[in-house]
Amino acid sequence: MRLDGRVESEMVRLLHGTERPRLAVVREKLLRFCDRHQLRAPSRATIYNFIDRCPDHHYSIAELPGYVRDALYNLDPNDSVPGHQLAFYAFQYGDNRAACFAAGLPWIDLHQANRMRGWRPRTIGLLRAVMRRRGIP
């Protein structure tokens, strides 16, 4: 199903919080939004699929703490970095402070980082422990 741009924007708004929202609540809010705007509501499966491709947060590298910038060793300091890549680099190549910073990123960034390839066993275990503790599937 192709999503209307307004429905997609509303889904992004609902999913971009720091903590993971209950998806039943997200679906309920989307149903009300679609009823108000006379749009076709997405199915539960569409919402779950959208989570994996939801536009992520972007962070300006220059505004990040120095210990996090050190983990982003091969990126231009004048650019921005998507949240899932920030989490990946901070866990993989950063020190404990960078990993702690990444552990506090919004849930969607950690969820999408978990789906990336190239993780070392120790660091993917740390990411998944953080996700489990925060209730992120």
Side-chain angles (χ1 to χ4, degrees):
M1 172 176 139
R2 179 124 173 97
L3 291 174
D4 184 281
R6 294 170 288 178
V7 175
E8 192 167 317
S9 294
E10 182 66 10
M11 284 175 50
V12 168
R13 188 186 72 73
L14 292 170
L15 294 172
H16 264 221
T18 301
E19 296 303 320
R20 180 183 178 266
R22 290 188 51 229
L23 292 184
V25 173
V26 170
R27 175 138 166 76
E28 182 181 314
K29 288 180 179 180
L30 278 173
L31 288 173
R32 285 197 307 259
F33 175 85
C34 290
D35 283 345
R36 261 194 323 271
H37 294 90
Q38 299 176 343
L39 299 168
R40 184 171 173 207
S43 68
R44 185 172 285 119
T46 300
I47 295 170
Y48 277 101
N49 289 334
F50 185 79
I51 288 172
D52 292 334
R53 64 179 180 82
C54 182
D56 45 19
H57 300 95
H58 275 70
Y59 301 89
S60 171
I61 295 173
E63 295 175 8
L64 295 170
Y67 52 85
V68 177
R69 284 194 309 267
D70 291 344
L72 303 170
Y73 63 91
N74 64 344
L75 300 178
D76 183 1
N78 299 319
D79 283 340
S80 66
V81 62
H84 67 280
Q85 280 189 334
L86 175 59
F88 179 82
Y89 276 89
F91 278 114
Q92 287 280 93
Y93 306 113
D95 60 12
N96 288 338
R97 295 174 300 168
C100 288
F101 180 89
L105 290 174
W107 77 277
I108 197 92
D109 296 338
L110 298 179
H111 173 80
Q112 291 176 348
N114 185 45
R115 299 177 55 81
M116 291 178 67
R117 301 174 105 175
W119 285 94
R120 294 184 301 216
R122 179 183 62 86
T123 51
I124 191 69
L126 180 58
L127 170 70
R128 289 181 178 159
V130 167
M131 291 176 64
R132 199 169 25 258
R133 177 73 172 114
R134 289 185 53 191
I136 304 169

